[in-house]
Amino acid sequence: MRRVLTTLSLLLLASIILAGGILLGTESGLRWSVRQLESATHGTLHVGSVQGRLLGGIRVRNLRYRDPHTELRIEYLRLRWQPRALLQRQLRIVSLEASGISLQQKGEKKAQGTFQGFSLPLTLRLERASLTRLRYQKEENEPLLLHEIHLRGSFRQTTLTLQQLEISMPQGELQAEGRLETVAELPFDITSSWHWNAPPDAPVG
């Protein structure tokens, strides 16, 4: 009897490991996870198509999130991360690329309480992020258009470190680097530079 129980336990453990490997290491496992996520959000989140695997690179097309106050659309998103870094309590994102990003806010949200600070349970490291063709609009106001955002940095406990922030928009370009503490007072030490693109009909001199 003991031998039978031992054999059944080993078979159960092997099945769990196999199921976990299929879920995390295959594209079918990734698609199944996305379907579960869509179902859990009751239509708030919709993903047009997804490729890759959870333990590696992920490519998403036509992602849409919608609730009564916010509508977010992303035409294309590609994420590469390093799962082994989790063993060192790090979320290491090797690269993040996204294009065709549209964010629209509608109506007024309930007022939030006073900011008391924010910290992460692990260290976030972003080695490279590139976002292109961004559009932000609040209610019926004139939309804000951005050509590109390039970002590199880290977030450890309450310290947000910007190693690189470059924003390109029709009006000009912004570059910044520095640190921000996500505590109640929000102290920061950031240096920035701005280049303004004068309109074609602007006077010279």
Side-chain angles (χ1 to χ4, degrees), residues 4 7 15 17 49 53 83 105 107 117 139 159 162 166 193 202:
V4 173
T7 302
S15 299
I17 294 175
S49 66
R53 54 194 180 93
Q105 291 186 320
E139 297 181 337
T159 302
L162 286 176
E166 298 179 358
S193 61

Side-chain angles (χ1 to χ4, degrees), residues 91-108:
L91 177 56
R92 180 185 171 192
I93 299 177
V94 178
S95 66
L96 172 64
E97 302 173 17
S99 63
I101 305 168
S102 174
L103 175 61
Q104 184 173 9
Q105 291 186 320
K106 300 170 287 186
E108 292 292 336

Side-chain angles (χ1 to χ4, degrees), residues 100-172:
I101 305 168
S102 174
L103 175 61
Q104 184 173 9
Q105 291 186 320
K106 300 170 287 186
E108 292 292 336
K109 290 187 176 182
K110 293 182 179 180
Q112 302 293 323
T114 304
F115 180 70
Q116 298 297 324
F118 175 75
S119 63
L120 288 180
L122 46 72
T123 299
L124 170 64
R125 297 191 182 279
L126 177 60
E127 297 185 3
R128 184 177 68 87
S130 178
L131 314 178
T132 59
R133 296 190 294 115
L134 302 98
R135 183 181 188 273
Y136 170 75
Q137 184 175 20
K138 185 173 183 180
E139 297 181 337
E140 301 300 324
N141 296 332
E142 189 73 17
L144 172 65
L145 304 178
L146 303 177
H147 295 319
E148 293 180 322
I149 296 179
H150 298 286
L151 179 64
R152 182 165 54 91
S154 63
F155 193 168
R156 181 178 182 182
Q157 296 180 345
T158 62
T159 302
L160 173 63
T161 302
L162 286 176
Q163 295 172 305
Q164 176 195 27
L165 174 61
E166 298 179 358
I167 301 176
S168 174
M169 62 185 73
Q171 297 85 352

Side-chain angles (χ1 to χ4, degrees), residues 45 73 80 84 95 119 123 126 131 134 179 196-197:
L45 176 68
R73 294 177 180 269
R80 292 176 55 234
R84 287 179 296 179
S95 66
S119 63
T123 299
L126 177 60
L131 314 178
L134 302 98
R179 291 187 177 184
W196 174 259
N197 293 331

